[in-house]
Amino acid sequence: MKRKIIPTLLALALTASLAPTVLAAVPPIPCYPTSVTRSEDGAQIRKVYDLGPQEDPAGISRSDFEQEGFHYTLTDLLKQEAPEREERFHTETVTLDSKSKDMESVLALLPAQREFTTEDGLTGTLSLKLDTVQVEVAGYGSSTRQVSATRSYPNLAGQDTSYIPKEITDSGRTLELASIDWRTDNTANEDGYAVGDRFTAIATYTGSATSSYVKGYVVTAEYSGTVSRIALNKVRYVAIFEGTPLVPVEPEPTPEPTQEPGQEPTAPIQFHWGYVLAPLGVIAAIGGGIGVALFIKKRREGGYETEEDSQ
């Protein structure tokens, strides 16, 4: 059991020791400058980075680089809180109720300028756009009322309701007979009594009428203008690079061969050691031969003298 546990613990320890190295090897996300300025003499370049809360300044490049004849090296990296002013053009639509559609009454409800705050916190003074003002009916209601009409039926022979219509049409509405008022038009004397022989019926008809009316009006209009806010969630970094001029290495000039006027250009003369060593070798060989010959001759002459002396 111990043999299995020990290798497992060693593997875990090795993994734990390598974990920081693996994490450290992950490069930071590169940051890009929002502006780059270069001095007139080219001796300095400033790169400005405006980073948000989630951006890591380790992504700012610190490497040397060459540009326009200069070699630049980072000498300083400044950090400062950069309040950022955010602004944009904004249009706000307002809706309100009105009891009248008269434009003078409507404009009295709409001020020329209004303060607005957007959902994301930008504020500003917006102006009314008169060409966007619209008035629409908010809705309709209905009401019912009683209506009546009278009809006169003269010269009737008797007070008989059969002579009277039970319904009439008045202004497009159907009315029903409600009551009759009889009037005597002519009387006759019978046995000393006045008896009517002609009658007029005054009939009253009633019914209901339904009418619609406007409940109110809805006014819509647009206000537009610039809204802004100050945001303190930006951090500004300024990377300062100092530059040193690059000195180019100029090649040595090659002398041009001289020539006479009108003479064709000749190829430059090349020096060959063979032309010098060959004659020297011949001279050395001849000198060596002569030296050997003189040595032999002298030795012979010396030998002869020795033999004569011995005799």
Side-chain angles (χ1 to χ4, degrees), residues 5 64 106 125 162 192 244 272 288:
I5 295 176
D64 291 8
V106 169
T125 302
S162 61
T244 55
H272 295 282

Side-chain angles (χ1 to χ4, degrees), residues 129-145:
K129 300 173 65 175
L130 291 175
D131 57 342
T132 64
V133 178
Q134 296 182 354
V135 181
E136 297 179 353
V137 176
Y140 294 93
S142 62
S143 61
T144 302
R145 68 181 188 278

Side-chain angles (χ1 to χ4, degrees), residues 292-308:
V292 171
L294 292 176
F295 176 75
I296 294 172
K297 181 180 180 181
K298 186 175 182 181
R299 186 173 183 182
R300 285 179 178 178
E301 290 178 352
Y304 291 150
E305 291 178 354
T306 306
E307 292 178 355
E308 291 178 356

Side-chain angles (χ1 to χ4, degrees), residues 171-301:
S171 300
R173 292 183 290 269
T174 299
L175 304 180
E176 297 179 352
L177 179 63
S179 62
I180 301 174
D181 182 17
W182 296 97
R183 297 179 184 178
T184 302
D185 295 335
N186 188 34
T187 59
N189 189 359
E190 295 181 0
D191 298 330
Y193 294 95
V195 178
D197 58 357
R198 289 290 184 268
F199 301 92
T200 297
I202 306 299
T204 301
Y205 296 86
T206 60
S208 61
T210 301
S211 60
S212 61
Y213 61 93
V214 176
K215 290 183 176 181
Y217 299 90
V218 176
V219 179
T220 58
E222 292 183 358
Y223 286 80
S224 62
T226 302
V227 293
S228 62
R229 68 176 176 183
I230 301 297
L232 299 176
N233 57 349
K234 291 287 185 180
V235 179
R236 171 165 293 182
Y237 293 87
V238 181
I240 302 176
F241 291 85
E242 298 292 340
T244 55
L246 296 174
V247 180
V249 179
E250 298 182 359
E252 296 182 358
T254 303
E256 298 181 357
T258 59
Q259 60 182 16
E260 298 294 333
Q263 181 181 1
E264 295 182 358
T266 59
I269 299 176
Q270 297 182 355
F271 180 78
H272 295 282
W273 284 100
Y275 297 152
V276 177
L277 296 178
L280 292 177
V282 174
I283 294 173
I286 296 173
I290 294 174
V292 171
L294 292 176
F295 176 75
I296 294 172
K297 181 180 180 181
K298 186 175 182 181
R299 186 173 183 182
R300 285 179 178 178
E301 290 178 352

